[in-house]
Amino acid sequence: MQKWRIGDVTITKIVELESCGGAAWILPDAVPEACRDISWLKPDFMDEMGELKFSVHALVIETRNQLIVVDTCVGNEKERMPYKDWHHLQTTFLADFTAAGFDPAAVDCVLCTHLHVDHVGWNTMLVDGKWVPTFPNARYLIAKDEYDYFKRTDIAEFNQRVFNDSVAPIFDAGLMDLVETNHRVCDEVTLVPTVGHTPGHVSIQITSQSEQGLITGDFVHHPCQMARLDWGSTADLDADAADDTRRRVFADCAETPTLVIGTHFAGATAGHIVCDGDAYRLIPVKPEFA
Ligand SMILES: [Zn+2]
């Protein structure tokens, strides 16, 4: 179990899925021939052949007073065709969450950086044929702009299906708070707007004892985008805004002690951004294992 500390705050990674290769559908420029030149991606973020590594994981934030889950992966038993790797999953995610020492009933707050399929899945679980909240005592915080976009009925049918089984039941249970994209969650945790990938996309800033961390969400999918600033994602809804956001946040974090924790970064998962010519690179930080 990988853990990081930011001042008094502890962050734990709970993995649902890991993969290597097949990045072209999400980052079409990131073909192995082009990635091989970015040698610092090895070994955490790329294999010897230039195939990129990805992870789907939740990050659990423990502050003095709050137990917070950031992004809830794909979830079990959900209808996710045509995405075969995510369809009718039967993973041990919830057992792993519990084995890490966390009680779903004790979670105070669930944050979704955005409402894509791999960030909302464990918001709900299937009980007696119904989708019920996995974290029954939590407030689920979602940016209002994000919710308003994904509740629309003129968006892709797939996104509507995800909304209906993983977001709407939370609203119906009265557990959802719609918030601004700069909402302060508690003393140590604040949302920061990083829009472009989706209309209300947020990253999560953690501050404690003058140390700082940033959980990315999907404004960046893979550290290769730090080396190649023009490599956008097919999933970016507004490509220009997504491009602006990546450049702005990388510049803000570069050469600072901010621990950048990637929502889809494999291996070390977290690191510090440093300048590298006209672009950036990520220096991995070794997590503690507990
Ligand atoms: Zn994602």
Side-chain angles (χ1 to χ4, degrees):
M1 208 65 67
Q2 288 171 265
K3 287 181 184 284
W4 302 269
R5 264 177 239 289
I6 296 166
D8 296 331
V9 174
T10 303
I11 298 169
T12 304
K13 174 185 168 191
I14 312 285
V15 175
E16 185 185 58
L17 299 168
E18 290 177 311
S19 62
C20 183
W25 71 279
I26 190 84
L27 295 172
D29 298 307
V31 293
E33 304 78 64
C35 292
R36 260 177 244 146
D37 295 340
I38 315 169
S39 59
W40 61 263
L41 293 174
K42 291 184 290 187
D44 284 285
F45 313 118
M46 180 176 77
D47 74 5
E48 287 294 329
M49 308 297 291
E51 299 284 0
L52 298 186
K53 299 178 183 179
F54 286 89
S55 169
V56 177
H57 51 253
L59 293 162
V60 181
I61 304 175
E62 294 170 88
T63 75
R64 275 170 304 166
N65 306 314
Q66 294 266 309
L67 182 61
I68 300 170
V69 179
V70 178
D71 286 341
T72 59
C73 308
V74 177
N76 274 5
E77 305 188 72
K78 295 198 159 157
E79 294 283 332
R80 293 297 182 249
M81 290 305 274
Y83 299 99
K84 266 203 301 262
D85 293 347
W86 292 347
H87 182 62
H88 285 182
L89 280 190
Q90 290 289 348
T91 73
T92 58
F93 176 86
L94 203 55
D96 296 343
F97 183 90
T98 305
F102 303 119
D103 174 4
V107 171
D108 298 296
C109 177
V110 176
L111 303 176
C112 297
T113 58
H114 62 299
L115 296 183
H116 277 161
V117 53
D118 50 327
H119 299 261
V120 299
W122 277 106
N123 282 0
T124 59
M125 58 184 184
L126 196 58
V127 178
D128 298 332
K130 284 182 68 177
W131 296 109
V132 303
T134 307
F135 307 101
N137 300 310
R139 301 305 302 175
Y140 287 66
L141 270 50
I142 291 171
K144 185 176 184 310
D145 293 348
E146 188 74 3
Y147 183 83
D148 286 347
Y149 175 78
F150 280 93
K151 81 169 183 212
R152 283 162 45 173
T153 53
D154 59 342
I155 59 171
E157 189 275 334
F158 181 81
N159 285 334
Q160 293 184 50
R161 200 184 330 147
V162 171
F163 185 89
N164 289 337
D165 62 35
S166 301
V167 181
I170 302 303
F171 190 89
D172 294 344
L175 299 184
M176 188 179 295
D177 293 329
L178 298 177
V179 299
E180 298 300 319
T181 51
N182 61 356
H183 180 76
R184 184 179 180 84
V185 178
C186 61
D187 284 349
E188 301 91 343
V189 180
T190 305
L191 309 185
V192 291
T194 45
V195 300
H197 181 63
T198 57
H201 188 282
V202 295
S203 300
I204 314 296
Q205 184 175 287
I206 299 128
T207 308
S208 175
Q209 304 287 354
S210 67
E211 293 181 19
Q212 199 160 96
L214 185 76
I215 296 175
T216 60
D218 284 5
F219 85 81
V220 52
H221 282 84
H222 190 278
C224 70
Q225 292 172 286
M226 296 176 187
R228 302 288 184 266
L229 296 172
D230 56 344
W231 283 6
S233 162
T234 52
D236 292 340
L237 207 64
D238 180 337
D240 289 341
D243 192 280
D244 289 347
T245 292
R246 281 198 304 279
R247 290 170 193 268
R248 172 175 58 79
V249 182
F250 294 161
D252 286 350
C253 292
E255 309 291 338
T256 75
T258 297
L259 183 69
V260 175
I261 306 175
T263 296
H264 289 309
F265 297 0
T269 304
H272 297 117
I273 299 178
V274 297
C275 293
D276 188 9
D278 294 336
Y280 305 96
R281 65 193 282 179
L282 187 68
I283 309 289
V285 168
K286 269 209 162 122
E288 298 173 26
F289 287 85

